[in-house]
Amino acid sequence: MNDSPIYVAGHNGLVGSAIVRRLRADGASNLLLRSSKELDLRRQAEVERFFAEQRPHYVFLAAAKVGGIEANRSRPAQFIRDNLQIQTNVIDAAYRNGTRKLLFLGSSCIYPRLAPQPMPEDSLLTGPLEPTNQWYAIAKIAGLKMCQAYRREFQFDAISAMPTNLYGPGDNFDLLESHVLPALIRKCHEAKLRHADALEVWGSGTPRREFLHVDDLADACVFLMRQYSDEPPINVGWGEDISIAELARLIADTVGFNGELRFDRSKPDGTPRKLLDTSRLTALGWQPKIHLKAGLASTYEWFREHQGQSRR
Ligand code: GFB
């Protein structure tokens, strides 16, 4: 794979940039990278032209419209439209232009709101989705089904990975758009600088989430690209979850904010619990390495170095 042309779609995002780091560390010499300004993946003609000209052998499809609970809730049309357009254009153009293998990235929110915990891949489509992110989830379900359909009908080697909640360098720290972990890093940091006596945490603090460092995810993506070729999606997670209240305390300790945490119950909790069953991936021989405490410390360091440039 190292000398082949590899297209990482979404290389400026949290996931895509981690996949690029991982491939470069491995000696990949022919990476194809295009920013969204250079190539708008929502435009079919642009995507077809790019694939016809470049003919990548391998494609990591990490481009997506993503965001936290509030971004998902408030912009349902953009989440369903952009994701359906991006993934449909890229999967189809890859198949038509001789791509040998494509990895599609989904999300743990594809599983039912009240799926058994930890959530096995087989719980897909067994119950209603979480309303706050159903639009994003439907698009991601369509993407993994499209990969399965192209395998069956066209023998196209398209596989899917379903990561849990991710974090790490290059994340979005915008307070309205972001996921909980970067939002709380920023809130704690700013509260510490202001010597504030309290900060606001959305919701009740009782929902449980699992957090995986994006460098672990990137490692799993490269592993799956090399080792896995089958229809079922593969969950990628850490294996343990914590409550939002516990996460907030851990982040406050990491940042050095000693004030009070105030829970704003007028904000949505979302899914009560989201822990992936990763036994399929473990059986293939892959394990994550970066513990949450260490990952939080290095992500906070990254935030402090880059906050001027981080997306707000
Ligand atoms: O990470 P998050 O935005 O998304 O929120 P989901 C997780 C939990 O943290 C929710 C709470 O219960 C939030 O109410 N929370 C507390 C906060 N304080 C904050 C804060 O300051 N900001 C944010 N954002 N949350 C997303 C989906 O769901 O998970 C996406 O909406 C995607 O589609 C992603 O699937 C992985 O974990 O609830």
Side-chain angles (χ1 to χ4, degrees):
M1 196 167 89
N2 270 2
D3 301 328
S4 309
I6 305 174
Y7 174 42
V8 181
H11 76 285
N12 283 323
L14 173 67
V15 173
S17 59
I19 292 175
V20 167
R21 282 197 297 279
R22 177 67 183 75
L23 289 169
R24 284 199 172 130
D26 242 19
S29 56
N30 198 356
L31 295 184
L32 301 171
L33 308 172
R34 296 289 184 278
S35 69
S36 53
K37 283 205 181 78
E38 295 166 316
L39 171 60
D40 185 343
L41 295 174
R42 296 169 303 180
R43 304 278 166 260
Q44 188 180 14
E46 284 186 38
V47 177
E48 292 199 335
R49 197 174 320 119
F50 168 76
F51 272 87
E53 281 169 14
Q54 302 297 331
R55 299 187 68 83
H57 290 181
Y58 298 93
V59 174
F60 290 87
L61 179 37
K65 169 106 187 140
V66 298
I69 194 165
E70 178 55 27
N72 271 267
R73 191 201 57 77
S74 58
R75 288 207 297 284
Q78 291 180 42
F79 274 80
I80 194 163
R81 179 200 61 198
D82 289 6
N83 286 303
L84 284 173
Q85 287 176 332
I86 291 168
Q87 67 205 30
T88 304
N89 291 340
V90 172
I91 294 168
D92 189 58
Y95 158 64
R96 286 181 191 283
N97 288 283
T99 291
R100 294 179 191 162
K101 190 163 182 179
L102 175 145
L103 170 71
F104 171 69
L105 278 145
S107 164
S108 59
C109 71
I110 61 163
Y111 297 117
R113 173 184 161 81
L114 300 177
Q117 303 287 328
M119 306 184 287
E121 289 88 349
D122 293 342
S123 63
L124 184 67
L125 295 172
T126 56
L129 296 166
E130 155 64 28
T132 50
N133 56 33
Q134 57 178 313
W135 323 96
Y136 177 74
I138 288 282
K140 290 295 183 182
I141 292 170
L144 86 85
K145 286 289 170 196
M146 192 159 160
C147 290
Q148 292 179 341
Y150 274 52
R151 289 190 81 81
R152 283 196 194 181
E153 189 175 343
F154 303 138
Q155 293 73 54
F156 179 43
D157 196 357
I159 59 170
S160 301
M162 297 300 134
T164 192
N165 288 36
L166 302 167
Y167 72 98
D171 210 341
N172 179 0
F173 289 82
D174 179 292
L175 289 182
L176 282 179
E177 295 286 312
S178 70
H179 293 97
V180 59
L181 191 150
L184 290 179
I185 287 183
R186 185 166 160 197
K187 283 184 186 176
C188 285
H189 178 73
E190 292 178 353
K192 181 177 83 168
L193 297 185
R194 283 198 317 270
H195 304 288
D197 52 11
L199 69 74
E200 185 194 272
V201 180
W202 293 355
S204 63
T206 58
R208 299 184 70 82
R209 294 288 184 273
E210 176 189 22
F211 296 96
L212 181 72
H213 193 281
V214 73
D215 287 345
D216 272 335
L217 173 73
D219 192 60
C221 289
V222 173
F223 173 86
L224 289 169
M225 189 63 109
R226 293 211 169 104
Q227 311 275 338
Y228 181 74
S229 278
D230 211 342
E231 217 176 75
I234 300 289
N235 287 343
V236 188
W238 173 252
E240 284 166 29
D241 59 358
I242 64 170
S243 73
I244 296 301
E246 287 166 326
L247 174 76
R249 281 188 197 104
L250 206 54
I251 292 177
D253 288 348
T254 306
V255 171
F257 169 69
N258 302 316
E260 189 195 333
L261 304 174
R262 288 196 189 131
F263 293 92
D264 178 357
R265 288 180 169 76
S266 69
K267 295 283 197 309
D269 270 345
T271 312
R273 194 173 179 203
K274 212 161 34 165
L275 175 64
L276 287 176
D277 178 342
T278 52
S279 45
R280 221 176 244 174
L281 181 55
T282 311
L284 290 170
W286 186 87
Q287 296 272 5
K289 295 188 187 73
I290 305 169
H291 286 263
L292 182 57
K293 227 173 170 176
L296 276 179
S298 58
T299 303
Y300 179 48
E301 215 163 281
W302 186 92
F303 170 74
R304 281 201 301 185
E305 274 167 31
H306 294 85
Q307 55 180 315
Q309 304 142 41
S310 66
R311 287 167 285 156
R312 294 188 164 207

